[in-house]
Amino acid sequence: MSNEWPLRSSTLRERSATAVGDPVLRANVGAATDRFRTKRTSALARLHDPDALRSAARGVRGDILADWAATLELLADNVQANGGHVCWAPTGADANDYIASVAQRIGARTVVKSKSMATEETGLNEALAAVGCDTVETDLGEWIIQLAEEHPSHIIAPAMHKNRDQVADTFEAKAGMTERVTEPTELVAFARRELRRRFLEADLGITGANLGVAETGSIVLVTNEGNARMVTSMPRVHIAVMGAERIARTWDQADLVLGLLAKFGTGQTLSSYTTVLSGPRGEDEADGPDEFHLVILDNGRSDIAGTEFAEMLNCIRCGSCLNVCPVYHQTGGHAYGWVYPGPMGAVLTPLLASQQTGHGPGEDHHAGELANASTLCGACMEACPVEIPLQDLLLGLRRRNAEHAGLAERSMWRAWAAAWSRPGAYGASATVATKARRLAPLLGRLPGGSRWTDGRDLPDLPARTFRQRWDAGDV
Amino acid sequence: MSDAPDRRPDGVERVALFVTCVGELVEPDVPVAAVRVLRAAGCDVDVPEGQTCCGQPAWNSGFTADAAKVAGTSLDALERAVADGAEAVVVPAGSCATMIRVYWPQLFSLAGDEAASDRARALGERVWELTELLDALPDERLGLGSVEPCAAVYHRSCHMLRELHVAEQPEALLARVDGCVVAEWAAADQCCGFGGTFSVKLPEASVAMADEKLDVLPEGTEVIVGADASCLMQLRTRAGARGMQVRTEHIAQVLERALPDDRGADA
Ligand code: SF4
């Protein structure tokens, strides 16, 4: 886990308080997630039975991962049969080393990338900088945040937290925009001109992979900007970095997944560009790279298989759970501290982190506390195209955290359970509570009391408990 | 998830009330109202001795054994009531009803007590969220009159909506109350931001979530009605801190006010 991410240097509360205190950020995230939600709702309204599709997709993802190792082998074999190279990368560092060695071998100076969360996970751009490569992100949102020296805040709309004025500011400050424009079409035109030049210079193109399809050894890239087509066809060498779980065995399975990805993610019937790549340029083909490499990134994924969290591997990275999450709505993605935000990030980050830091499962407090970034409202479960029970997984992570909780917290719950499992003691605590009425004004001054009272009144406590009224015959 | 559609409560006469800890300690008017409304609907209401809390605070914090210990106490008490003849266990809080019906079997199972898990599953068949039962009763059993005219909105609390799948019932009941006008609320099914310990673990986000709902209250809203006292407490205390004039009221209390004279009151 790259150290520059704020996960290790701040608490979840600090980060979320900072985000909530930024009204522009909240307005930007709120407007963008609302747009996604509206579009998704209308895309789903065109479907005959979205819930049936969701459960079919859950089944398909489950089938694929039940046969995970063999499917990956088949994919790797077919990629090689198509003339490509395959790198199995157990860790992010292994992936970076392999890619850096390819870059050095071909003498790459300029590297163009299309959006890839897997390479955010490995910190690839820094690794390439270390071997002297100038890496340029070509997805508009990614380019914006690269220029702004920030991190993505959404898995499919990395610069969602910025509005067009802020984008124009970034272009003026970092990309040499001399005549300020703020209309989206003009901003896109500016980016297109700047990036076109970089595409022509590039020796190496790097993409993620939305899906690898084992039966033909293909990878599928989905974009709305077409930049992935340039990244994969203009440079001499193309490397695709695929999270090891992002596979399908057959095209029928891929078809289902890709349709859901677009509908649940952006509310499109299908994304504007769906690119299928099967190896380097063949002898009779007009374009395509001379070399194709597929990096299959594990980085903690295989540790999740077979655990109570295994369904998280079914995630197709559509972003739907982020868009409906009321916590994400307030904080945006940076509050989650690492690559993956929102409900899927609150689950996945702790699962990947324990492997990466050498901590045992649940021992990494910084990552583990992300499970608290939820009211358990269930909106994410309802929105997930592959029916991942995100809320149950969050609860599972909280149980895991509880096993490693400090003595004070454990004692508090134990004392609570001892009192409230005895009706007599419960009745006594009820009486204490009504007595506490007079103390209530002090509550806000107790340690931690301000966590309620900053921004909220104290609730009035009643003069008599329910049981007192019942026993007195007043009900 | 919901087995509600198949459950025919027409003949239910003996009811055990699960008070909930919030009802016991913070909002006793809510269970009191629930008792009166159930009586008005012709039910004989018992409040079983020995019940405490459903265990949800510890369960949601990951402390399974502690949650099971507390929930086990309430399971014993509710089971005794059923053995004594209660046909339904009624819970005037969507979130606690969800805990009992949806999560208790898993809770006890994870705590290593499969017998309690089976007992919880059996008990769950008889557990109803208050409005779920009231709405399922034949209309003539619960005569609802009118209340002082008020401009209301209804907050659809998360667990009740998405896990218990009790969605339409509360508003169907309110529609039977003359004078209580429930307006469309764009944020009706958005989370209030309470989330138990979430409210103090991430207080800034919690308050902001309440604000997002309060900001879009229809002009002139006088009261936010809901079926979970804890959500209402979150919304009320935030609205109070903002100096907003809006009140909150549990649906049991609205229905109680709508009872034709003297029905439901014991004395
Ligand atoms: S968890 Fe589900 S909703 Fe969230 S990104 Fe993954 S597939 Fe989409």
Side-chain angles (χ1 to χ4, degrees):
Chain A
M1 192 165 291
S2 168
N3 278 327
E4 284 169 69
W5 290 88
L7 186 69
R8 307 246 165 258
S9 54
S10 56
T11 65
L12 172 63
R13 184 189 172 192
E14 287 164 353
R15 294 189 303 270
S16 65
T18 304
V20 168
D22 181 343
V24 178
L25 174 106
R26 277 169 69 194
N28 296 347
V29 172
T33 50
D34 282 348
R35 264 198 311 278
F36 276 136
R37 283 159 68 161
T38 315
K39 283 198 196 159
R40 182 187 60 126
T41 309
S42 55
L44 296 194
R46 292 194 295 272
L47 294 176
H48 168 60
D49 187 353
D51 284 338
L53 265 186
R54 293 171 70 217
S55 65
R58 181 187 200 173
V60 161
R61 288 296 291 154
D63 290 348
I64 293 167
L65 289 170
D67 201 18
W68 193 11
T71 309
L72 275 176
E73 292 286 353
L74 180 65
L75 174 68
D77 288 349
N78 284 335
V79 166
Q80 281 160 340
N82 294 340
H85 305 270
V86 174
C87 162
W88 297 89
T91 69
D94 295 323
N96 290 352
D97 289 348
Y98 178 84
I99 297 165
S101 71
V102 172
Q104 284 178 301
R105 173 173 56 76
I106 66 169
R109 307 288 292 262
T110 300
V111 178
V112 284
K113 279 180 74 198
S114 76
K115 206 180 88 52
S116 147
M117 296 311 288
T119 62
E120 295 286 346
E121 215 181 282
T122 68
L124 177 63
N125 291 8
E126 293 86 55
L128 286 172
V131 296
C133 292
D134 182 13
T135 304
V136 184
E137 296 286 352
T138 66
D139 171 87
L140 178 59
E142 275 296 332
W143 191 51
I144 293 165
I145 58 148
Q146 183 185 34
L147 292 170
E149 296 176 51
E150 294 181 17
H151 290 299
S153 71
H154 189 286
I155 58 174
I156 64 168
M160 170 188 273
H161 58 289
K162 289 192 178 295
N163 61 33
R164 56 169 103 158
D165 286 313
Q166 292 170 315
V167 172
D169 292 346
T170 304
F171 284 177
E172 281 185 327
K174 300 286 179 61
M177 178 192 268
T178 47
E179 280 172 48
R180 184 183 172 91
V181 293
T182 54
E183 279 305 311
T185 47
E186 296 168 323
L187 289 167
V188 170
F190 173 80
R192 194 178 289 253
R193 276 196 305 278
E194 292 298 308
L195 290 172
R196 187 64 50 126
R197 184 165 61 77
R198 309 312 301 269
F199 280 122
L200 292 168
E201 292 166 12
D203 318 289
L204 173 61
I206 298 175
T207 66
N210 292 93
L211 208 57
V213 186
E215 67 178 349
T216 54
S218 309
I219 65 153
V220 183
L221 295 169
V222 169
T223 74
N224 279 317
E225 297 170 13
N227 59 315
R229 296 202 164 168
M230 312 267 282
V231 171
T232 57
S233 57
M234 299 187 67
R236 283 182 288 133
V237 177
H238 169 210
I239 304 177
V241 184
M242 182 187 83
E245 82 287 16
R246 306 292 296 278
I247 48 163
R249 177 174 278 272
T250 67
W251 277 101
D252 279 346
Q253 294 171 335
D255 180 41
L256 181 65
V257 168
L258 292 170
L260 288 172
L261 179 61
K263 289 178 191 79
F264 280 74
T266 48
Q268 294 165 289
T269 303
L270 208 56
S271 307
S272 305
Y273 298 88
T274 300
T275 306
V276 179
L277 299 159
S278 308
R281 183 181 61 230
E283 280 179 7
D284 51 349
E285 289 174 337
D287 55 17
D290 299 341
E291 282 179 35
F292 170 73
H293 303 253
L294 176 64
V295 177
I296 300 173
L297 179 70
D298 187 318
N299 211 26
R301 287 162 171 79
S302 52
D303 291 348
I304 302 173
T307 71
E308 64 172 308
F309 304 106
E311 268 198 74
M312 198 59 223
L313 293 169
N314 288 354
C315 174
I316 61 171
R317 306 287 192 272
C318 73
S320 179
C321 59
L322 283 61
N323 299 335
V324 300
C325 175
V327 178
Y328 182 91
H329 215 237
Q330 300 305 328
T331 64
H334 291 157
Y336 294 80
W338 195 56
V339 179
Y340 298 109
M344 58 80 72
V347 175
L348 192 58
T349 301
L351 296 177
L352 294 180
S354 57
Q355 194 264 0
Q356 304 202 1
T357 54
H359 290 290
E363 285 171 10
D364 183 337
H365 173 72
H366 285 290
E369 73 163 343
L370 289 182
N372 297 330
S374 166
T375 57
L376 305 175
C377 78
C380 50
M381 296 208 294
E382 209 177 56
C384 177
V386 288
E387 294 186 326
I388 297 175
L390 289 155
Q391 178 169 339
D392 294 336
L393 300 185
L394 288 167
L395 276 168
L397 286 167
R398 290 184 186 188
R399 287 194 290 274
R400 204 172 79 166
N401 291 343
E403 284 165 24
H404 299 276
L407 187 62
E409 198 182 358
R410 286 211 307 273
S411 311
M412 202 254 320
W413 285 114
R414 191 165 309 145
W416 170 85
W420 283 26
S421 58
R422 282 177 296 140
Y426 177 74
S429 67
T431 314
V432 171
T434 54
K435 293 265 164 29
R437 286 178 82 206
R438 274 172 289 129
L439 301 177
L442 295 175
L443 221 68
R445 291 194 234 147
L446 292 175
S450 65
R451 284 171 171 250
W452 181 271
T453 55
D454 283 355
R456 282 170 290 212
D457 292 344
L458 279 169
D460 291 325
L461 291 174
R464 290 188 300 164
T465 64
F466 175 81
R467 185 59 71 173
Q468 287 167 333
R469 287 166 68 173
W470 177 263
D471 288 346
D474 293 342
V475 178
Chain B
M1 182 70 62
S2 177
D3 38 12
D6 301 318
R7 306 198 299 172
R8 303 297 316 165
D10 299 33
V12 167
E13 275 168 7
R14 297 187 59 189
V15 161
L17 186 77
F18 185 69
V19 178
T20 80
C21 62
V22 171
E24 178 65 32
L25 302 172
V26 188
E27 303 278 0
D29 289 344
V30 171
V32 166
V35 170
R36 291 178 180 161
V37 173
L38 285 163
R39 281 181 185 150
C43 297
D44 180 9
V45 184
D46 179 31
V47 182
E49 297 272 348
Q51 60 173 293
T52 64
C53 158
C54 66
Q56 190 176 182
W59 167 250
N60 282 353
S61 301
F63 289 84
T64 311
D66 298 319
K69 198 166 168 185
V70 171
T73 310
S74 294
L75 172 62
D76 290 345
L78 296 176
E79 245 185 357
R80 278 196 303 272
V82 169
D84 286 350
E87 297 151 290
V89 172
V90 175
V91 187
S95 164
C96 311
T98 307
M99 181 69 202
I100 295 175
R101 208 156 85 196
V102 179
Y103 287 106
W104 269 11
Q106 189 192 359
L107 163 65
F108 290 117
S109 176
L110 284 168
D113 189 345
E114 290 302 337
S117 176
D118 291 341
R119 287 163 53 208
R121 201 167 287 113
L123 180 81
E125 311 250 304
R126 293 181 186 264
V127 172
W128 297 76
E129 185 278 327
L130 174 68
T131 64
E132 182 188 20
L133 179 76
L134 293 175
D135 182 67
L137 294 175
D139 277 11
E140 61 275 12
R141 279 192 58 179
L142 181 65
L144 290 170
S146 59
V147 294
E148 295 261 303
C150 65
V153 291
Y154 183 77
H155 165 66
R156 298 175 142 207
S157 42
C158 300
H159 292 163
M160 186 161 148
L161 180 65
R162 300 199 184 86
E163 289 178 81
L164 212 54
H165 303 289
V166 176
E168 312 301 333
Q169 291 93 323
E171 283 153 282
L173 287 165
L174 291 174
R176 288 164 54 190
V177 175
D178 279 341
C180 180
V181 181
V182 180
E184 283 271 333
W185 185 17
D189 58 6
Q190 233 165 272
C191 177
C192 68
F194 177 64
T197 56
F198 176 86
S199 64
V200 287
K201 281 190 166 148
L202 298 180
E204 295 81 8
S206 170
V207 165
M209 287 160 72
D211 278 345
E212 189 164 308
K213 286 185 76 93
L214 295 170
D215 287 345
V216 296
L217 276 176
E219 184 88 25
T221 302
E222 294 163 293
V223 57
I224 302 171
V225 181
D228 272 278
S230 45
C231 309
L232 295 177
M233 178 180 76
Q234 156 88 350
L235 292 170
R236 178 175 67 252
T237 56
R238 176 55 185 161
R242 287 175 57 171
M244 296 172 73
Q245 291 306 313
V246 68
R247 295 181 293 118
T248 62
E249 195 170 17
H250 193 280
I251 187 165
Q253 296 168 280
V254 179
L255 299 178
E256 183 196 8
R257 289 196 291 118
L259 295 179
D261 285 346
D262 287 343
R263 284 190 63 195
D266 224 13

